[in-house]
Amino acid sequence: MLRRLGWLIGLSQRSRQTKSLDAEPYVARVKPVLMVDTVQEIAIYIHRFHNLDLFQQGWYQIKISMRWEDGDNNSCGIPSRVVLYEALDSTSNDSYGVWKIDDKDSSFLTQPFRIKYARQDVRLCMMVSFTMPLERYEGSATSAVILKFELLYSPIMEDIPVTHSDACAAAVHEFRIPPKALSGVHSYCPVHFDTFHAVLIDVSVHVSVMKSAAYKRPAILSSDASNSKNLTSGNIQSSKKAFTQIASADKKLVSFVKALLGARDTLLEEMQRLSKAVGQTVDLSEFVSSMDNALLSDSASTGKSVEVEGSGQGKLQNNLEKLNGPFDLASDDWLHNFSKEHLSRTFHLLGTQLHYLWNTFLTLHRDNYTKILEYLRDIWTKDRRAEWSIWMVYSKVEMPHHFISGMEDISNHSSHKRVSTGLKLNDPAQVASTRAELHRRSIAQMRINNRAIQDMHIFGDPMRVPIVIIERVWNAPRRTFSDNSYMRHVDRIDSSLLNGHDDESGTKKHNNPQHTGRELKIVVFVHGFQGHHLDLRLIRNQWLLIDPKIEFLMSEANEERTHGDFREMGQRLAQEVVSFFKRKKDKHARYGRLKNIKLSFVGHSIGNVIIRAAIADSLMDPYRKYFHTYISLSGPHLGYLYSSNSLFNSGLWLLKKLKSTQVIHQLTLTDDPDLQNTFFYKLCKQKTLCSFKNIILLSSPQDGYVPYHSARIESCQPASFDNSKRGVAFLEMLNNCMDQIRGPSPETPHHQRVFMRCDVNFDTTLYGRNLNSFIGRAAHIEFLESDVFARFIMWSFQDLFR
């Protein structure tokens, strides 16, 4: 291929012996009046369609289109090339027809494929290229490109899908390619659609700028050729009007040259990076040396000495350095040193080089498409935390060694959080809301402009995205002596979770051969009061995206049975978990010895109390050594003591009076006259949290259903001022829970437990004025209906979920 293209870029050794540069005859035929224009080349590689949780079986298609963000409906990309990397299975009944290009809206449609069940893979493996004219942007785009994916659905009718005209768009997912990225980018771009159409389409996007071969050039460049000759200082002074026209034309030519030059360098750099990542050598050394020589020879052929002022050299300089350097396009020096004819020659030569590099990249991608996708996906995964940090606030908070009653506790607690003096005695939930609102206002003043492809589910309206305040809690120095050895030392904070860097020792341990091998990872999801076993499916889907190898249990043991005793609900859950655990362990044991087992739990609302009641059951004793990560979504770990929602408290009082629901009595600690005999008091004394390596407590100051302090397992002001038996019992419950979290894991005594409190502040304008928002239920349910906050937390701390 290099030999065939050698005459274009000056690589042919035989031609060099007879000519100074092969490209020179071609460039010499180029006249200044020829077309000069660029196009945007955007290639979309579609690897596979993975069904996570589609509710309807049927025929599905993917429709792709793109448009300029600042343009009208006619300003769109045109599909120009489609390459199938793998042949379709003609014997299968799960695909029908072929791909299609719709000329009406310049869109591309994959072949229809049939979805039968969840977690089904459909390999598509095709590359479709779009071209977008840049004629109104003078070389480099100043507008973003909106990339649109549509999920088309048609029902099953005798195993044959209905026609495209009858298919309906079930879901849409859009991405924004900002102007900075349009000069050249190669990025993984996962398509998820919405919460009701949980799928994953593995897609990568590859962008470059190319020389146009079809579009008309701007009219300003059509000036007479005689006007572009002999531009000297005297000529400019004698014809100021002509100078202005010519200068404008030359400025546009320079912008076109800069656009191609930047795209060429970016593409060359990306190709070297990708080829190294996939382990395939692409030798471009001869091309790199020849492309610079081609530009130098072209400069020499003009008969002018092209120099950069202040360089101190009298000979020709590398055109790369000149054109990449700082420009002053209004300066007369450019009219002296670079003629319009020379700029036009350079433009066409750069276009030829870019065309060769782009085709070389497409060949590299065709031969290594799986490896390139995996590499780009790894890069995307590592960049999640940095990209989503706009909506996340990180802080380090000391964990007091002991909560005590009175003003001392409030003072210490406030100082640990480093809140201002004026807010020390304010409601902590109000302080958290105010902090989130201030951060939300700062986002409104941001100008998000980077080279990353932006997910419009998040970047479409940044003000509507939840704010997540993450507090990494670490142990405060022990101020008094204790028999507990772990309290005699100051625990070092694991800063790796806060600065975004992986712990070096943990990485080495993970890569140690003795820790590799088959793993069984089970995650149990437990719904809340009157909940459904699929309530936590959004969290489950995110966990599956992070680690597709997990085995998950959506607990059904207490579905429609959440009114009774927590002890009975915990026992039912324990039996369900043990049965599931044994089944999966036996299944995995058939394929070899298991070297590691991880058992994690996720609970919503009172589902967290059910989880702790199950852990306290003796049936779970043999399995505590496998506990890994525990996620609590608004769980009332300390019951409903000191609840500040008077309206909700009135509802609880009515439930107790009218239905005598036992679970309500236990939540409010009225199930026994003696507080020390109540269910919650005894539960907090049992070792339910100490076996987990990672504990993440999610709360929301907008949640009126669960007391803020109870979801966070921390003290509150009314309890600190309460010297009655109730206040004493509450502080004993709190200290018992915190002692478990503060201590090391029994299985790994030297392991520093990860303990985080995450405040999720939803956009309240989305709720509107209704009963749910009035009584505080909207935010409580938002944990189940929104997955943006889960993506932020789970992808930012991926090691906790693997």
Side-chain angles (χ1 to χ4, degrees), residues 60-339:
Y60 289 87
Q61 280 179 285
I62 306 302
K63 180 179 179 181
I64 306 175
S65 59
M66 59 184 65
R67 68 185 189 277
W68 290 111
E69 186 178 37
D70 65 350
D72 51 24
N73 293 331
N74 296 325
S75 179
C76 58
I78 302 172
S80 58
R81 175 168 48 185
V82 180
V83 180
L84 292 177
Y85 286 4
E86 294 183 6
L88 299 177
D89 186 2
S90 59
T91 62
S92 174
N93 294 325
D94 293 337
S95 62
Y96 180 84
V98 295
W99 57 267
K100 176 185 176 182
I101 292 178
D102 192 339
D103 293 332
K104 294 182 180 179
D105 56 0
S106 298
S107 61
F108 169 81
L109 296 95
T110 65
Q111 73 274 14
F113 46 86
R114 186 174 180 177
I115 295 299
K116 300 178 182 178
Y117 46 83
R119 303 194 72 179
Q120 175 184 350
D121 275 342
V122 179
R123 289 180 66 87
L124 299 173
C125 301
M126 59 175 61
M127 174 83 85
V128 53
S129 297
F130 286 78
T131 56
M132 304 189 71
L134 285 165
E135 51 190 0
R136 61 190 177 125
Y137 296 113
E138 299 180 7
S140 297
T142 57
S143 171
V145 168
I146 302 299
L147 177 58
K148 183 178 182 180
F149 293 88
E150 295 179 73
L151 180 65
L152 303 183
Y153 165 77
S154 57
I156 297 177
M157 302 185 64
E158 299 180 357
D159 294 335
I160 299 177
V162 298
T163 60
H164 162 59
S165 59
D166 296 327
C168 62
V172 176
H173 195 171
E174 290 186 336
F175 296 87
R176 182 177 184 269
I177 309 177
K180 282 187 176 181
L182 291 175
S183 62
V185 72
H186 300 266
S187 175
Y188 177 65
C189 183
V191 182
H192 298 302
F193 294 111
D194 55 34
T195 57
F196 299 102
H197 300 85
V199 302
L200 167 65
I201 307 178
D202 282 319
V203 171
S204 61
V205 178
H206 309 273
V207 181
S208 186
V209 179
M210 306 291 288
K211 184 184 75 171
S212 174
Y215 295 98
K216 295 181 180 180
R217 61 188 174 88
I220 191 65
L221 297 179
S222 302
S223 57
D224 188 79
S226 61
N227 291 337
S228 61
K229 297 179 181 179
N230 301 324
L231 296 178
T232 62
S233 178
N235 292 337
I236 293 175
Q237 294 175 358
S238 63
S239 181
K240 186 174 182 180
K241 182 177 179 180
F243 166 77
T244 302
Q245 294 176 348
I246 296 172
S248 176
D250 285 351
K251 287 179 183 179
K252 290 188 176 183
L253 258 176
V254 170
S255 67
F256 281 116
V257 171
K258 288 179 64 177
L260 291 189
L261 191 60
R264 186 198 67 177
D265 292 346
T266 300
L267 182 56
L268 185 60
E269 180 182 351
E270 290 294 312
M271 280 186 59
Q272 293 172 342
R273 181 172 66 96
L274 292 175
S275 61
K276 181 179 179 181
V278 301
Q280 178 170 331
T281 303
V282 179
D283 188 6
L284 294 172
S285 56
E286 190 176 0
F287 169 79
V288 172
S289 61
S290 299
M291 71 181 185
D292 294 345
N293 291 333
L295 293 178
L296 289 173
S297 300
D298 179 63
S299 299
S301 66
T302 63
K304 292 188 176 184
S305 176
V306 185
E307 299 181 7
V308 178
E309 183 179 358
S311 64
Q313 297 179 6
K315 58 181 182 180
L316 294 175
Q317 303 293 321
N318 190 318
N319 273 14
L320 286 174
E321 297 178 359
K322 296 191 201 83
L323 295 179
N324 277 330
F327 278 100
D328 182 7
L329 298 181
S331 172
D332 293 346
D333 293 339
W334 284 106
L335 296 177
H336 287 296
N337 295 333
F338 289 89
S339 69

Side-chain angles (χ1 to χ4, degrees), residues 90 187 207 218 283 338 340 364 380 420 448 578 631 663 756 765:
S90 59
S187 175
V207 181
D283 188 6
F338 289 89
K340 183 175 180 181
L364 174 68
W380 179 89
S420 62
I448 303 173
V578 170
I631 304 179
V663 68
M756 296 192 305
T765 60

Side-chain angles (χ1 to χ4, degrees), residues 710-723:
S710 187
R712 292 167 57 85
I713 312 184
E714 66 180 3
S715 184
C716 62
Q717 293 176 19
S720 299
F721 287 109
D722 188 358
N723 294 321

